[in-house]
Amino acid sequence: MTIGFLATLYPWTKAIHIIAVIAWMAGLLYLPRLFVYHCETKPGTESSERFKVMERRLYKQIMLPAMLTTFAFGIMLALTPGLVDGDRGWFWVKIACVLGLAGAHGAMGKWRRDFLHDRNTKPQRYFRIANEVPTVLMAVAVIMVAVQPF
Ligand code: HEM
């Protein structure tokens, strides 16, 4: 199913999609770094409380609106005539990466709440590794849509 008038909006839909993707990725790549440094602080200290404010603002004021905008304009692009052939594998590999990124977003929400309530038990190393997951998913998603290899 496609929607004809979306074809006239295509350049703007794609531009807003890419802007939202960049903002969402910035948050997905930065928030785990804040968790790495937050691990170095003692619960209740001034710096621990400051990290909580930074994490909340990044998650609620940047990452959430950026994710919702990425999805909304991504779906508008998918409904634009001539862009997506459901028989081509690239689109489904991309969607799998997108769902993985949404899962990473959700996991970061839970970790943020753990820090907020001073009940984080995960070590710095855990968040350093977690930081790499969105990087790999983003790279595969962009290669799939830009190259459309299969
Ligand atoms: C529900 C989520 C998403 C959907 C349905 C979606 C769908 C699409 C579609 C249909 C296009 C147009 C392809 C074309 O012009 O031929 C597109 C472009 C693009 N998407 Fe997404 N996308 C989603 C999420 C994402 C995410 C999470 C990323 C990055 C991590 C991303 C990166 C891009 C890029 C870079 C382009 C421009 C490609 C180009 O100009 O060649 N998208 N997307």
Side-chain angles (χ1 to χ4, degrees):
M1 188 195 89
T2 60
I3 302 172
F5 84 89
L6 286 176
T8 57
L9 298 177
Y10 172 55
W12 284 99
T13 316
K14 186 152 79 168
I16 297 169
H17 181 60
I18 296 172
I19 292 165
V21 162
I22 292 169
W24 190 29
M25 289 308 116
L28 285 171
L29 300 177
Y30 184 44
L31 190 52
R33 298 307 310 172
L34 289 178
F35 293 152
V36 168
Y37 299 122
H38 201 161
C39 284
E40 292 173 357
T41 67
K42 287 209 170 14
T45 57
E46 197 186 329
S47 56
S48 174
E49 295 306 310
R50 188 176 311 113
F51 275 117
K52 291 179 185 178
V53 174
M54 293 166 73
E55 289 154 4
R56 177 174 45 80
R57 288 186 178 155
L58 180 60
Y59 191 77
K60 296 209 179 229
Q61 295 172 14
I62 296 177
M63 291 170 66
L64 194 57
M67 180 180 78
L68 297 175
T69 308
T70 296
F71 273 62
F73 284 81
I75 291 165
M76 283 168 70
L77 286 167
L79 295 172
T80 301
L83 291 187
V84 173
D85 170 355
D87 297 334
R88 299 278 310 279
W90 72 265
F91 182 69
W92 302 110
V93 173
K94 182 182 176 191
I95 293 301
C97 292
V98 170
L99 295 176
L101 288 165
H105 181 106
M108 290 180 199
K110 178 184 179 313
W111 300 333
R112 186 189 75 80
R113 287 191 298 279
D114 287 345
F115 276 105
L116 183 65
H117 302 294
D118 299 325
R119 58 171 186 241
N120 172 58
T121 56
K122 294 181 175 58
Q124 281 190 320
R125 184 174 151 68
Y126 183 91
F127 297 116
R128 289 186 200 287
I129 294 167
N131 209 169
E132 303 312 320
V133 173
T135 311
V136 173
L137 290 172
M138 176 269 291
V140 174
V142 171
I143 290 167
M144 284 302 121
V145 70
V147 182
Q148 304 189 3
F150 47 80

